[in-house]
Amino acid sequence: MAMTRASNTHSRHDEPDTDHTQNETGTHSQSQNGRVVVTKDGLPAWLDPVVHAVETVEPLQLSRFLPPANGAGRQSAVLILFGEGTRGPELLLMERASSLRSHAGQPSFPGGALDPQDGDPKADGPLRAALREAEEETGLDPSGVQLFGVLPKLYIPVSGFVVTPVLGWWREPTPVGVVDPAETARVFTVPVADLTNPAHRATTVHPSGHRGPAFLVESALVWGFTAGIIDRLLHYAGWELPWDRENQVPLDWRA
């Protein structure tokens, strides 16, 4: 598959004072004293509403599915990566291979389960996992990513995953694309302008009766957990535009 990247022609002279050193997982990321850093220093002004949303949103404002109180669930993380392309702010997404047993063919954020080498799930383990998985799935160079926020942990009942959404700024864009076709069908970016466009918004309806937000963008139907996070971020960042929630897209039982 052809490699793609987000365009970013402006230079940055206001980057945070952090070291870019190699961590234990073999990837490169912003770190201090061996720990992955989360910093808001030097972010573009257009990300301010997202930063505010991350700092103020409550777990139940994101989803009614929260981690089990007994600690059950497999710890995982996703990377919500904002870049700046030719049409302005954009998000990095990937489409899972159709041969996978779980969420086959579904667009998603890069991410996956924590590995032991990622470290403490209650510390910076999810940060390392989000960067590592993004590198493994899309070829992303973590050294060009500035992590700036972490959302509350959420739960995906169908798979039993406890997910930590990690937010990043694609400070230095690099080429990305499919690394392993057995896991990933394609890697693509979506302009935020397309995500907020009412014409691209819909409500999915599962045969079970569950309804959820969806986005018809880049020849893909983005739904489920990923669409839910995007929907809430757009809402609490003040970027959401009025859209027709009765514009329905039916799903089948395999979804």
Side-chain angles (χ1 to χ4, degrees):
M1 175 176 287
M3 304 292 274
T4 64
R5 70 180 181 89
S7 299
N8 191 342
T9 57
H10 67 283
S11 60
R12 297 190 56 78
H13 304 286
D14 53 355
E15 296 172 7
D17 184 18
T18 57
D19 297 325
H20 291 77
T21 57
Q22 190 167 10
N23 62 31
E24 292 88 340
T25 66
T27 63
H28 288 73
S29 60
Q30 293 180 320
S31 63
Q32 289 179 337
N33 301 322
R35 297 183 64 83
V36 181
V37 170
V38 176
T39 175
K40 299 182 287 292
D41 294 344
L43 293 174
W46 58 261
L47 269 175
D48 288 348
V50 179
V51 172
H52 177 73
V54 172
E55 293 176 337
T56 58
V57 71
E58 297 293 333
L60 284 173
Q61 292 177 314
L62 292 173
S63 173
R64 62 188 178 94
F65 298 113
L66 302 183
N70 62 4
R74 189 175 183 187
Q75 295 293 323
S76 64
V78 295
L79 180 63
I80 304 174
L81 185 59
F82 286 89
E84 189 166 350
T86 56
R87 294 182 54 207
E90 60 187 12
L91 278 175
L92 177 68
L93 296 177
M94 51 174 276
E95 186 175 307
R96 296 170 61 84
S98 59
S99 58
L100 293 176
R101 289 181 298 175
S102 177
H103 307 294
Q106 188 171 344
S108 67
F109 300 118
L114 270 66
D115 284 348
Q117 66 265 31
D118 293 323
D120 188 351
K122 296 182 180 179
D124 61 354
L127 308 182
R128 294 181 185 277
L131 291 169
R132 175 184 55 76
E133 286 283 345
E135 182 176 19
E136 293 176 358
E137 294 175 331
T138 73
L140 175 75
D141 182 355
S143 68
V145 175
Q146 176 181 335
L147 302 183
F148 67 86
V150 180
L151 289 171
K153 292 180 183 291
L154 303 174
Y155 187 59
I156 304 180
V158 67
S159 59
F161 279 101
V162 174
V163 185
T164 300
V166 179
L167 288 88
W169 157 239
W170 208 350
R171 179 173 37 79
E172 298 176 5
T174 51
V176 292
V178 173
V179 176
D180 183 357
E183 291 191 2
T184 308
R186 65 172 173 145
V187 176
F188 57 101
T189 56
V190 180
V192 171
D194 285 350
L195 294 168
T196 58
N197 186 338
H200 296 163
R201 305 221 46 184
T203 296
T204 53
V205 182
H206 194 273
S208 66
H210 177 73
R211 297 162 63 95
F215 301 84
L216 297 117
V217 291
E218 301 297 325
S219 302
L221 174 65
V222 182
W223 62 283
F225 177 85
T226 301
I229 294 295
I230 295 174
D231 172 77
R232 294 296 81 195
L233 278 177
L234 295 180
H235 176 77
Y236 288 109
W239 291 349
E240 183 180 33
L241 298 175
W243 58 283
D244 182 8
R245 298 174 187 273
E246 295 306 313
N247 178 24
Q248 299 182 3
V249 176
L251 301 172
D252 60 32
W253 280 108
R254 294 170 294 177

